Amino acid sequence: MSYTVILKGSWLIKITIHRGAKEIGGTLIDLQSENSRIILDIGFPLFLDGNAVEKDLKQKTTQELLDLGVLPKISGLYSWEKPKVDAVLISHAHLDHYGLLNFVHPKIPIYMSTATREIVNFNNRYVGNTAMAGEIRTFQMYEPFVIGDFRVMPFLMDHSAFDAVAFEINAHGKTLVYTGDFRGHGRKSVCLERFIKGVKKNADLLLIEGTLMGRQDKTSMTEQELENRIVESSRNCTGAILFQSSSQNIDRLVSFYRASKRLGRLFVIDVYNANVLYMLSQIRHSGLPRPSAKFPNLKVFYPHSQTKYIYKTIGEEFAKRFSSFYISKDELKKKEGRVFMLARPSMIRDIEKIGFQDGLFIYSLWSGYREGELQKKFESVLSRLGFQLISLHTSGHADVDDLKRVIDALMPKQIVPIHTNQPEDFKHLSDMVKLPDNGVSFYV
């Protein structure tokens, strides 16, 4: 297959950002060499035309998704066309990076880490998708692999998604670096140092995320600092402590778990999160807190609607495996002053039935999500029950200082921002910034 253009006698690499050049989420990048073509991430959009996507968007027909631009018009990628793509590479298990995988032609292999594969598979089963399209091929961090003309080196990165990676990609003597989503203030900050040290310098192109560009102008709080703030804010609470965070932000769950231990409280998670932690611990991370004899202060609560849904969609084994760590509503009420518990808007009725009162609620997500109607209802119920509501959060993305640190250390010949609403702000960080439009190809 020949996709690229010869210029002045040498092969170039053609890059097309189908989505992500001017928005956060839905990343989809197309790379074409002389004989090969790969896609970097294939994400479901968070925004369309500047507006947050509606929850029912996934229920629309394929044609409707194409008409809306949820599925960019990309020849040779989707299941209804002759395949003209050699592989899809997934950087991490967030829907805005893998959420369109089920539309990929089944003959196109999909590359991701082992942990990412397990998370994606579990999430697909949870929402009723039985399988991903295509053959899944896993890679190991820091071990290169080859796809046609492309040599790919994955680097483990610090991010709010487990096993997030950056890719160094080489072909025809050219080097491209795609950071994926990353940060330098999490519990794996050493990964960013290793990436900066090991990735090739003076790359022909750096595709760098910029989620916080224009949203934050200060250095982010580290996860350890956040843990300390959680402890300080919770010491005087005599009731239950509830917290809300992303189920797959494992660093944040660890921060809350460590805080609960320091406070001498029971750490209570729901059965969904119990499955996520169990699954990841089975792969390689035995130190993660999870329902087991090693973590006697960790208990599993079974919210009514969630448990019913798990039985129906993925099977009773995923619920029953934690029965020995079960904690009932009555026991939660009895031990109210010792409870440190994950809570979600879907658990409103469960919390009301438990009878918690006069506790503390810690919100640990992006503040924009608090504008949703269900979230507002949830927090209103907690306020009525006498809970104090506070927000303690730090981003899963790089702050401006870390973006500049990466750019200065890597010294790329060309910089293209990705996954950002403010790409033009990158011009304050470097003179090497190029700002292509979505769907407009360029070459290195």
Side-chain angles (χ1 to χ4, degrees):
M1 295 183 288
S2 179
Y3 301 105
T4 194
V5 175
I6 299 178
L7 185 63
K8 296 182 181 180
S10 63
W11 288 104
L12 303 177
I13 301 176
K14 179 181 177 181
I15 301 99
T16 309
I17 301 173
H18 294 286
R19 185 167 47 232
K22 298 181 184 299
E23 64 270 277
I24 295 170
T27 303
L28 206 165
I29 306 166
D30 194 334
L31 305 183
Q32 301 181 30
S33 67
E34 176 185 359
N35 302 299
S36 308
R37 183 181 178 195
I38 61 177
I39 300 293
L40 300 178
D41 284 334
I42 181 164
F44 198 91
L46 300 175
F47 302 91
L48 284 176
D49 299 323
N51 299 312
V53 299
E54 299 295 330
K55 288 186 177 181
D56 63 350
L57 198 60
K58 295 177 185 178
Q59 310 305 319
K60 294 186 179 296
T61 66
T62 298
Q63 188 57 54
E64 287 174 325
L65 295 176
L66 283 165
D67 293 341
L68 288 168
V70 174
L71 289 170
K73 293 178 173 62
I74 305 172
S75 174
L77 175 62
Y78 303 122
S79 58
W80 52 87
E81 299 178 325
K82 181 180 179 180
K84 296 181 181 178
V85 173
D86 295 288
V88 174
L89 278 62
I90 301 299
S91 65
H92 62 280
H94 277 162
L95 276 171
D96 64 321
H97 289 261
Y98 80 84
L100 299 179
L101 270 180
N102 288 337
F103 295 97
V104 173
H105 196 288
K107 290 187 177 180
I108 298 174
I110 299 163
Y111 288 76
M112 58 182 71
S113 76
T114 302
T116 296
R117 179 193 65 191
E118 295 305 307
I119 294 170
V120 171
N121 275 332
F122 179 72
N123 286 342
N124 277 344
R125 292 188 67 176
Y126 188 75
V127 300
N129 294 331
T130 56
M132 284 181 282
E135 173 195 355
I136 307 301
R137 300 179 182 177
T138 59
F139 54 75
Q140 300 298 317
M141 303 298 174
Y142 312 108
E143 294 184 10
F145 56 96
V146 175
I147 304 170
D149 292 337
F150 295 104
R151 178 186 182 273
V152 182
M153 171 72 85
F155 290 82
L156 180 64
M157 298 294 270
D158 180 16
H159 180 46
S160 55
F162 195 84
D163 247 15
V165 299
F167 295 112
E168 177 191 298
I169 301 170
N170 300 278
H172 307 313
K174 305 288 186 180
T175 299
L176 286 69
V177 176
Y178 170 50
T179 65
D181 291 355
F182 75 99
R183 63 177 179 174
H185 55 273
R187 295 194 178 276
K188 303 183 296 297
S189 59
V190 65
C191 294
L192 181 58
E193 305 300 332
R194 185 171 180 180
F195 166 73
I196 289 173
K197 182 178 179 180
V199 76
K200 186 174 180 179
K201 309 306 183 290
N202 304 115
D204 296 277
L205 175 66
L206 171 64
L207 290 157
I208 183 169
E209 80 118 306
T211 308
L212 294 186
M213 191 65 79
R215 286 167 50 178
Q216 186 182 54
D217 58 2
K218 61 182 184 298
T219 301
S220 297
M221 180 168 46
T222 68
E223 284 291 334
Q224 182 60 56
E225 290 170 339
L226 179 67
E227 176 191 324
N228 293 339
R229 291 276 300 276
I230 294 167
V231 172
E232 291 166 7
S233 301
S234 304
R235 285 196 188 280
N236 296 325
C237 178
T238 57
I241 300 171
L242 306 182
F243 71 93
Q244 184 182 356
S245 67
S246 168
S247 297
Q248 292 168 17
N249 186 341
I250 305 303
D251 275 6
R252 188 60 41 79
L253 285 171
V254 170
S255 293
F256 278 112
Y257 173 77
R258 288 169 57 92
S260 73
K261 283 197 70 176
R262 290 170 61 182
L263 293 164
R265 288 180 173 248
L266 291 173
F267 188 70
V268 183
I269 56 176
D270 60 31
V271 66
Y272 175 90
N273 247 127
N275 273 287
V276 171
L277 292 171
Y278 172 84
M279 175 180 58
L280 294 177
S281 69
Q282 295 301 299
I283 296 171
R284 67 177 183 273
H285 290 263
S286 59
L288 284 176
R290 64 194 186 279
S292 72
K294 291 184 178 180
F295 301 91
N297 72 317
L298 194 155
K299 300 296 180 182
V300 180
F301 177 60
Y302 285 69
H304 177 75
S305 61
Q306 184 190 94
T307 306
K308 184 177 178 181
Y309 185 80
I310 287 176
Y311 267 83
K312 179 180 177 181
T313 58
I314 62 176
E316 63 181 48
E317 65 178 288
F318 289 87
K320 287 186 174 180
R321 62 165 51 133
F322 307 115
S323 57
S324 59
F325 306 100
Y326 164 73
I327 187 167
S328 68
K329 292 183 178 69
D330 289 342
E331 192 174 0
L332 284 169
K333 177 59 178 175
K334 190 180 299 183
K335 298 179 178 179
E336 185 170 3
R338 292 186 55 217
V339 169
F340 199 114
M341 178 174 162
L342 173 67
R344 314 174 191 275
S346 60
M347 293 166 57
I348 290 175
R349 289 182 61 192
D350 297 284
I351 291 170
E352 287 180 315
K353 286 184 177 180
I354 291 169
F356 285 148
Q357 289 183 331
D358 301 326
L360 174 68
F361 172 70
I362 304 173
Y363 180 86
S364 192
L365 290 161
W366 177 52
S367 60
Y369 295 140
R370 300 185 86 172
E371 298 306 311
E373 290 305 313
L374 185 57
Q375 182 69 36
K376 288 181 179 179
K377 180 180 178 182
F378 178 49
E379 295 189 19
S380 176
V381 169
L382 292 176
S383 293
R384 176 170 54 80
L385 294 174
F387 276 76
Q388 177 190 0
L389 277 56
I390 65 173
S391 178
L392 291 173
H393 180 57
T394 189
S395 178
H397 297 272
D399 57 34
V400 176
D401 286 347
D402 278 331
L403 295 175
K404 181 170 175 53
R405 185 156 68 101
V406 168
I407 289 171
D408 291 346
L410 270 56
M411 299 176 291
K413 297 173 184 175
Q414 190 173 181
I415 300 164
V416 171
I418 193 82
H419 203 278
T420 178
N421 290 330
Q422 302 287 344
E424 64 278 359
D425 285 4
F426 274 82
K427 290 187 175 181
H428 299 301
L429 304 184
S430 173
D431 296 329
M432 311 305 291
V433 173
K434 177 184 178 71
L435 302 178
D437 290 325
N438 286 327
V440 177
S441 301
F442 61 100
Y443 298 83
V444 296

